[in-house]
Amino acid sequence: MKIKLIEYKEVPSFPSGSGIEFYDDKVFLVGDDSREVMVLNKRWKEIERVPLLPGTEARVPKAVKSDLEATTVVTVNRIPRLLILGSGSLDKNRNKAILFNLDSYLKDEFDLTPFYNRIAKAGVKNMNIEAAALVEDHIILGNRGNRKNPVNQLIITRNAFWKHQAQAEITLIDLELPLKDSKGIGISGMAYSLLNDTLIFTASTEQTDNAVDDGSIGDSYMGIIENASRKIGRKSLKVNELINLGEVHELFKGFKIESVCIQSEKSNRMKLH
């Protein structure tokens, strides 16, 4: 895949960009330590901010933050909603799911502790869910690897799993990166192109041995998985292409790329945020 950087903009008033989604010509930005959802237009002009968590501080302290890292757009009862997931990496604060109504901006919260406990028992050693995507009726979650546990894992479940956490499908797939030395490269975001049946993910290197502590940032990547819907259920999944974003444009260097979403798509062509 060839990548071209079209536009670049900094948003210094928002603390982080751990989740990004595109819906109805708007960009929805979620931060792992932000109390708000930022709503922007396609050119990244701020439209409004919608409260997501209680409190007055702009940035939630690390010790108590919900660590909202993974996002995807789902349809529940014919209503489009932004599904926002905590990473599950530390304590119950991070076992949260929020369904954010994209029409009314109202929200519902769920405790995912039963489901996350099942994921851990199924074979995820270090819980750190950083990515999510809807593929047909499946929801794919991306669990980020680190230097001590370097394998990134995809967790396959079904839409609305939060309603029946004790019975919801759980299948684990190891993600095989096409590099001889991929240690330390961790998945950070995900999007699915229905037209091209392609799963796109972002990843970055970080000097940390666990799912909680931050480390110095190295390169960031974009990964491509072709024929994604046909590969659900395999024990391992090979990535077709892994692109070092710093080699695409120097503006990517030094940044931890945390998420990706699709604005528009044609056959073999997509416009991404």
Side-chain angles (χ1 to χ4, degrees), residues 6 70 102 236 266:
I6 299 173
L102 290 170
S236 63
K266 298 178 182 179

Side-chain angles (χ1 to χ4, degrees), residues 211-262:
V212 178
D213 295 327
D214 297 321
S216 59
I217 302 301
D219 293 332
S220 285
Y221 300 85
M222 181 173 291
I224 308 297
I225 300 171
E226 300 170 355
N227 303 313
S229 65
R230 305 179 203 173
K231 297 176 180 177
I232 291 174
R234 296 183 179 180
K235 292 183 178 180
S236 63
L237 196 157
K238 290 185 178 180
V239 175
N240 296 95
E241 195 172 0
L242 190 66
I243 302 162
N244 188 319
L245 291 173
E247 295 175 1
V248 172
H249 200 289
E250 63 180 8
L251 284 172
F252 284 114
K253 293 180 178 178
F255 286 97
K256 180 183 179 183
I257 306 302
E258 292 242 3
S259 195
V260 61
C261 67
I262 300 170

Side-chain angles (χ1 to χ4, degrees), residues 1 22 79 105 109-111 117 119 150-151 168 206 211 223 232 267:
M1 175 180 282
F22 188 85
I79 297 173
Y105 292 177
E109 292 189 11
F110 300 89
D111 178 10
N117 285 345
I119 291 175
V151 178
E206 186 173 11
I232 291 174
S267 180

Side-chain angles (χ1 to χ4, degrees), residues 40-86:
L40 310 101
N41 67 13
K42 290 185 288 188
R43 299 300 298 272
W44 281 68
K45 181 179 180 181
E46 183 177 338
I47 299 172
E48 61 183 314
R49 299 190 188 202
V50 184
L52 193 63
L53 299 171
T56 57
E57 297 171 285
R59 198 160 198 162
V60 184
K62 182 174 181 177
V64 296
K65 71 178 183 178
S66 297
D67 205 29
L68 302 174
E69 289 279 3
T71 60
T72 191
V73 176
V74 298
T75 300
V76 180
N77 298 327
R78 300 183 180 180
I79 297 173
R81 303 173 195 261
L82 181 63
L83 175 64
I84 307 170
L85 302 173

